[in-house]
Amino acid sequence: MDARPQPSQKPDLVVVKNLVKYFPVRSGLLQRTVAQVKAVDGVSFTIKDGETLGLVGESGCGKTTVGRTILRLIEPTAGEVYFNRENIFAMRPDALKAMRRHMQIIFQDPYASLNPRMPIGESIMEGLHIHKIGHPKERWEIAIQMLKKVGLEEYHARRYPHEFSGGQRQRIGIARALALRPKFIVCDEPVSALDVSIQSQVLNILKDLQREFGLTYLFIAHNLSVVEHISDRVGVMYLGKLVELTDRETLYREPLHPYTKALLSAIPIPHPNAKRDRIILKGDVPSPLNPPRGCRFHPRCPWAKDICARQEPEFKEVRPGHWAACWLVD
């Protein structure tokens, strides 16, 4: 009998509580703050050890800001983030530096995140050098090992970023994130800029590495088909808020929030004769400078009620393991 703990039994590795990130808008000669862009406004969730949590939503909904704020690449406005029961936001610089080797990120644009003047072998070794792991020969051996894990060869380590294709550069980004043997990786739309055929290769590499090294992912994307392929649970964001969160099978089979239903209705069906009832949302996404009162989705919701415009719904557990913020599900 398999004695390994199942995902639902594993402890929470990452706990996010009421995460808030506002960006100030400054104007005038004295550059005074005249408004706030509410990029992330009270987001809470957990990620269990060894699981993949997908985070989806339209461009500008705050997905990337959530990922970068968790890692303190962006300083938060309010809230708490716990990694292995330690509060990331309360850490002093030296403790945070030590913690960073356990929390890494794969960026959306691998070319922009690589130094064009540095061979990729040195880019992979850079984190090892900063954290004083091993001597130069050991660091080189680790870099070569990581390159081979993602399907590249030793001779690639001496080449520069411009000599690689987009898919190869993303593999390099994965190898660099993996070099420090982290426990948690934020995957910030790692396949959105790649061809479909290359996307599947990169996704399979991520899944294989997760099994081999016991990794935990926060997988940020706007492609629901990609998220369905790789995630254990899925959270849906809209205008800085989390509107639904549940396991992958339940979300794609029985979505509760109207926004989730609209997103799922837009997924193409791979059959020429198959049809799906599309939910066409009216209007544009409101500005995060001045989000709507009440439910932020109500100006575009086909089923909005009077209370939706007056009062914001609570993000609560509607069914066991299924969270939603919508007056229609009460």
Side-chain angles (χ1 to χ4, degrees):
M1 183 176 179
D2 191 353
R4 292 176 299 176
Q6 298 302 312
S8 60
Q9 300 173 318
K10 291 183 178 180
D12 293 332
L13 182 67
V14 179
V15 178
V16 179
K17 294 183 178 180
N18 297 316
L19 182 62
V20 176
K21 178 57 186 178
Y22 293 169
F23 292 98
V25 177
R26 305 184 189 279
S27 182
L29 184 64
L30 299 178
Q31 289 294 291
R32 291 174 176 161
T33 299
V34 297
Q36 299 275 4
V37 176
K38 298 178 180 179
V40 179
D41 199 4
V43 169
S44 300
F45 59 84
T46 62
I47 309 176
K48 293 189 178 297
D49 188 13
E51 95 168 325
T52 299
L53 176 67
L55 199 58
V56 301
E58 293 173 277
S59 296
C61 70
K63 309 183 299 295
T64 294
T65 304
V66 167
R68 297 191 179 199
T69 307
I70 287 174
L71 301 180
R72 276 188 69 179
L73 297 179
I74 301 174
E75 289 298 320
T77 301
E80 299 173 306
V81 171
Y82 294 88
F83 177 78
N84 253 352
R85 300 181 181 179
E86 294 188 58
N87 189 347
I88 299 297
F89 296 165
M91 284 184 172
R92 298 176 64 85
D94 54 344
L96 181 62
K97 179 182 177 181
M99 181 63 75
R100 286 197 186 281
R101 65 174 295 184
H102 303 297
M103 306 170 70
Q104 292 291 304
I105 185 170
I106 301 169
F107 293 98
Q108 178 179 357
D109 184 355
Y111 189 64
S113 63
L114 293 170
N115 188 336
R117 298 180 179 86
M118 184 181 291
I120 60 122
E122 292 185 22
S123 291
I124 295 172
M125 291 191 295
E126 193 171 17
L128 300 170
H129 175 73
I130 290 171
H131 290 277
K132 298 179 172 58
I133 298 174
H135 53 71
K137 184 178 180 181
E138 290 175 332
R139 294 170 191 162
W140 180 257
E141 290 173 352
I142 291 173
I144 300 305
Q145 181 187 7
M146 292 302 104
L147 282 174
K148 291 183 177 180
K149 290 288 184 185
V150 298
L152 297 176
E153 298 298 333
E154 181 173 352
Y155 65 86
H156 287 126
R158 296 178 176 85
R159 294 184 177 179
Y160 291 84
H162 72 272
E163 299 180 75
F164 295 91
S165 67
Q168 288 176 320
R169 284 197 286 261
Q170 196 57 279
R171 291 169 187 248
I172 294 165
I174 295 171
R176 184 176 60 176
L178 202 65
L180 291 170
R181 296 294 178 90
K183 296 179 180 178
F184 174 58
I185 298 179
V186 174
C187 305
D188 184 12
E189 303 201 33
V191 298
S192 63
L194 306 178
D195 293 337
V196 175
S197 59
I198 306 301
Q199 285 184 13
S200 60
Q201 296 176 18
V202 173
L203 290 174
N204 288 333
I205 287 172
L206 289 172
K207 293 180 75 172
D208 291 342
L209 293 173
Q210 184 176 37
R211 284 191 292 267
E212 182 175 353
F213 295 105
L215 298 171
T216 302
Y217 293 145
L218 173 62
F219 192 91
I220 298 167
H222 57 261
N223 188 327
L224 284 163
S225 299
V226 168
V227 171
E228 183 181 16
H229 177 71
I230 197 169
S231 301
D232 299 305
R233 290 187 302 138
V234 181
V236 181
M237 283 192 68
Y238 182 79
L239 206 62
K241 292 278 189 180
L242 204 57
V243 297
E244 189 163 1
L245 174 65
T246 187
D247 63 272
R248 175 186 59 194
E249 291 80 8
T250 303
L251 186 87
Y252 285 81
R253 186 181 66 250
E254 299 178 70
L256 294 178
H257 199 280
Y259 179 62
T260 308
K261 294 176 182 179
L263 290 180
L264 292 175
S265 75
I267 299 176
I269 301 175
H271 194 284
N273 297 324
K275 293 183 179 181
R276 174 181 284 152
D277 293 333
R278 284 293 309 275
I279 301 174
I280 307 298
L281 299 178
K282 57 185 179 182
D284 297 320
V285 180
S287 170
L289 277 169
N290 186 25
R293 184 184 175 188
C295 174
R296 296 190 174 186
F297 185 61
H298 87 265
R300 306 177 70 197
C301 180
W303 303 284
K305 301 188 293 185
D306 291 341
I307 192 173
C308 300
R310 297 194 312 266
Q311 189 174 345
E312 183 177 344
E314 179 188 359
F315 186 67
K316 62 183 180 180
E317 193 169 18
V318 181
R319 304 168 184 164
H322 196 160
W323 297 72
C326 182
W327 291 113
L328 299 173
V329 300
D330 287 344

